[in-house]
Amino acid sequence: KRIGDRVLLDDVSFGIAEGQHIGLIAKNGTGKSTLLNILSGKEGYDEGSVVYRRDLNVGYLEQVPSYPSNYTVIEACFSHGNEITNLIREYEICMSTPGHPRLDELLDRMEREKAWDYENRAKQILTQLKITSFDQKISELSGGQLKRVALANVLITEPDFLILDEPTNHLDVEMIEWLEEYLRRSKISLLMVTHDRYFLDRVCSIILELDHSKIYTYKGNY
């Protein structure tokens, strides 16, 4: 991956197996977020390939997430995800639209897909992250609140492969402990960038170091 004349990533090669929890470390400005953007499909690259298992569901928490300003918190939570989250978002839009168009059809689908459980779980995760005004507009949130909504969004979708860029930013100690326990119990495959070395130690068992455009792999914690 080149940016102008600068080679940011050169002959970078690594694999992630199912269920592994991996931390990515590097000095600031060396390409961590760029690598995550490439893996998530948000950014292109000049040479090489990114190969995923077929039908792999990827969830990505960006360092600076964004949503349409007219979304509510709960709509944002279901804006990226799977079929059930898309269904719940349809339902939320229906309920906020005068006349509630297609309500009967959506209620029937919500019942059939057991989507009510999903919505309750979303509200539980938001509450753990100290977001309790589910109908508040995204435009009214602080940067820290927005990051926590985005974190809830990726956790709710239960991806096979979870990519987190600085997940503990804007979290207090209680929220960090909750997230640590959530990730440690999860069988999800995880790739994470964080400056919180204690969090990294407790969650990840493999470390990737990006240094001088290369990747080095270490077994064990930070």
Side-chain angles (χ1 to χ4, degrees), residues 172-183:
D172 62 23
V173 173
E174 190 179 334
M175 288 185 262
I176 290 172
E177 288 174 351
W178 173 82
L179 180 61
E180 176 194 321
E181 188 60 27
Y182 183 98
L183 294 173

Side-chain angles (χ1 to χ4, degrees), residues 22-26 28 32 63 147 164-181 183 190 192-207 221-222:
I22 297 175
L24 173 63
I25 62 170
N28 285 339
K32 297 188 298 292
Q63 195 166 9
K147 182 77 181 251
L164 300 177
D165 196 351
E166 297 292 358
T168 61
N169 282 8
H170 310 293
L171 302 188
D172 62 23
V173 173
E174 190 179 334
M175 288 185 262
I176 290 172
E177 288 174 351
W178 173 82
L179 180 61
E180 176 194 321
E181 188 60 27
L183 294 173
L190 171 68
M192 174 174 74
V193 166
T194 177
H195 285 99
D196 186 333
R197 301 308 189 208
Y198 297 104
F199 185 74
L200 195 64
D201 260 353
R202 292 191 289 257
V203 174
C204 296
S205 56
I206 297 172
I207 301 295
N221 60 21
Y222 178 71

Side-chain angles (χ1 to χ4, degrees), residues 6 30-31 39 43 93 102 114 166 171 175 214:
R6 184 182 172 204
T30 52
L39 293 177
E43 194 167 336
I93 291 171
R102 298 173 51 234
K114 297 185 170 59
E166 297 292 358
L171 302 188
M175 288 185 262
K214 307 288 186 190

Side-chain angles (χ1 to χ4, degrees), residues 42-43 56 63 87-88 91 95 108 116 120 123 180:
K42 293 255 178 192
E43 194 167 336
L56 191 83
Q63 195 166 9
L87 171 59
I88 293 169
Y91 168 76
M95 293 308 292
D108 184 52
W116 302 114
N120 288 336
K123 289 177 178 176
E180 176 194 321

Side-chain angles (χ1 to χ4, degrees), residues 16-218:
I16 297 176
E18 187 174 359
Q20 286 183 331
H21 288 182
I22 297 175
L24 173 63
I25 62 170
K27 292 176 183 173
N28 285 339
T30 52
K32 297 188 298 292
S33 291
T34 299
L35 179 57
L36 298 189
N37 281 336
I38 288 171
L39 293 177
S40 67
K42 293 255 178 192
E43 194 167 336
Y45 46 95
D46 302 298
E47 298 170 38
S49 59
V50 178
V51 181
Y52 279 130
R53 192 192 77 204
R54 187 178 296 173
D55 299 327
L56 191 83
N57 181 18
V58 180
Y60 180 32
L61 174 70
E62 297 179 70
Q63 195 166 9
V64 184
S66 64
Y67 295 95
S69 59
N70 63 325
Y71 276 21
T72 63
V73 164
I74 201 73
E75 284 171 1
C77 270
F78 296 118
S79 63
H80 308 297
N82 53 34
E83 287 181 18
I84 295 181
T85 59
N86 292 339
L87 171 59
I88 293 169
R89 187 164 172 273
E90 277 187 69
Y91 168 76
E92 292 291 342
I93 291 171
C94 165
M95 293 308 292
S96 61
T97 304
H100 309 319
R102 298 173 51 234
L103 179 59
D104 289 344
E105 175 207 334
L106 288 168
L107 286 172
D108 184 52
R109 285 171 59 201
M110 291 276 286
E111 201 69 46
R112 216 167 46 239
E113 300 287 343
K114 297 185 170 59
W116 302 114
D117 297 341
Y118 220 88
E119 187 172 28
N120 288 336
R121 184 169 167 273
K123 289 177 178 176
Q124 285 171 0
I125 289 175
L126 284 166
T127 302
Q128 290 285 355
L129 296 171
K130 299 185 180 175
I131 302 285
T132 53
S133 300
F134 307 130
D135 294 325
Q136 190 174 5
K137 293 289 185 186
I138 287 294
S139 57
E140 299 169 2
L141 301 182
S142 68
Q145 289 172 319
L146 183 61
K147 182 77 181 251
R148 301 203 305 271
V149 168
L151 176 58
N153 185 187
V154 293
L155 296 179
I156 289 158
T157 59
E158 298 180 324
D160 305 304
F161 177 40
L162 180 60
I163 302 172
L164 300 177
D165 196 351
E166 297 292 358
T168 61
N169 282 8
H170 310 293
L171 302 188
D172 62 23
V173 173
E174 190 179 334
M175 288 185 262
I176 290 172
E177 288 174 351
W178 173 82
L179 180 61
E180 176 194 321
E181 188 60 27
Y182 183 98
L183 294 173
R184 283 174 58 181
R185 283 189 286 107
S186 170
K187 294 177 181 175
I188 209 166
S189 306
L190 171 68
L191 178 64
M192 174 174 74
V193 166
T194 177
H195 285 99
D196 186 333
R197 301 308 189 208
Y198 297 104
F199 185 74
L200 195 64
D201 260 353
R202 292 191 289 257
V203 174
C204 296
S205 56
I206 297 172
I207 301 295
L208 298 179
E209 182 185 15
L210 178 58
D211 185 38
H212 291 91
S213 308
K214 307 288 186 190
I215 283 277
Y216 302 91
T217 304
Y218 305 94

